[in-house]
Amino acid sequence: MKTLLPFFLILLLSNLSFGQQWLDTTCKIENEITNEEYTSAQSNNILTLIIDQEGKLLMNGQKKEGLSEIQFKELVYDFLSNPSSVKTKSDSPKQAIIALGSYGKHKNYDLILRYVREVYLYAWDAYSEEKYQVIYSDLDCKKREKIRSKNFPYNIIELGKDKEDSKKPSSTPGIPPFAGDVIDN
């Protein structure tokens, strides 16, 4: 695992050029993980990352305070790849699902999501350099899809971000405002 440290540093520096963008907009990356797939998956194949009310990270229900960025990324990569074949980690990267959630809105949520994406980018880059001798972002969409589907599919579900929830009526009491009908005194 110590050999990963220099790679993560290189990855971090290379990702600074991406800013807040998720890689690029040329190829679709996101997979749609349904609630059904999430709930039917074996528990060892799910890594749940929750930001609690205080803005602290819970990893599979355990508080993880004081983790550096590199330590966090190594834990996520270790969960995905499971090089030691630990029974509490994913059976394979193809079966691994990372569930992200938050109690309320926290800036840490976006940071954790970015770190998880950087772990995936690292895995894709490593395989791309091994197979094609170029970095992942220099590949065409077809080759990128091959790498993702055969090795490290982007299996992330964002808990609590249902599209249906945005259609629900407000839970605030009182009469809903009708623009133009009410004149304030």
Side-chain angles (χ1 to χ4, degrees):
M1 194 53 93
K2 290 183 180 183
T3 59
L4 292 178
L5 186 60
F7 293 115
F8 279 121
L9 291 174
I10 291 168
L11 179 63
L12 176 64
L13 294 174
S14 68
N15 279 328
L16 291 176
S17 64
F18 293 119
Q20 295 298 315
Q21 276 185 310
W22 170 221
L23 196 52
D24 58 27
T25 57
T26 57
C27 304
K28 184 181 181 237
I29 292 178
E30 273 77 10
N31 291 343
E32 292 287 325
I33 301 295
T34 64
N35 280 334
E36 203 173 291
E37 290 172 311
Y38 170 67
T39 55
S40 66
Q42 293 179 348
S43 62
N44 66 306
N45 290 324
I46 298 174
L47 177 64
T48 307
L49 304 172
I50 303 289
I51 307 297
D52 68 7
Q53 295 92 336
E54 298 173 349
K56 296 186 178 167
L57 176 67
L58 296 172
M59 226 176 191
N60 284 342
Q62 298 177 354
K63 279 194 177 187
K64 294 289 185 179
E65 295 185 67
L67 278 180
S68 70
E69 175 184 350
I70 300 300
Q71 290 170 326
F72 173 78
K73 289 178 179 179
E74 285 179 343
L75 284 172
V76 172
Y77 186 76
D78 193 47
F79 168 79
L80 290 172
S81 60
N82 194 5
S84 304
S85 299
V86 177
K87 291 184 180 186
T88 58
K89 296 179 182 173
S90 71
D91 295 331
S92 76
K94 290 180 90 169
Q95 295 175 336
I97 296 175
I98 297 178
L100 294 168
S102 173
Y103 291 100
K105 293 187 179 189
H106 296 284
K107 62 181 179 181
N108 294 348
Y109 180 86
D110 293 330
L111 185 65
I112 296 298
L113 178 59
R114 191 177 110 213
Y115 289 168
V116 169
R117 287 177 171 174
E118 288 173 0
V119 169
Y120 274 100
L121 183 58
Y122 168 77
W124 298 335
D125 269 341
Y127 187 80
S128 174
E129 287 182 19
E130 179 184 312
K131 184 159 180 139
Y132 301 110
Q133 290 73 44
V134 295
I135 62 172
Y136 176 80
S137 59
D138 289 344
L139 295 175
D140 63 11
C141 293
K142 203 176 228 182
K143 287 181 181 174
R144 288 183 186 185
E145 178 59 32
K146 274 186 184 179
I147 289 172
R148 287 191 314 270
S149 64
K150 290 183 180 178
N151 299 294
F152 283 88
Y154 185 75
N155 292 336
I156 292 182
I157 183 168
E158 294 187 58
L159 304 172
K161 295 227 175 188
D162 294 334
K163 294 172 187 170
E164 296 173 10
D165 286 347
S166 61
K167 295 178 185 176
K168 289 182 181 176
S170 172
S171 61
T172 57
I175 301 172
F178 296 97
D181 288 350
V182 179
I183 300 172
D184 289 335
N185 292 335

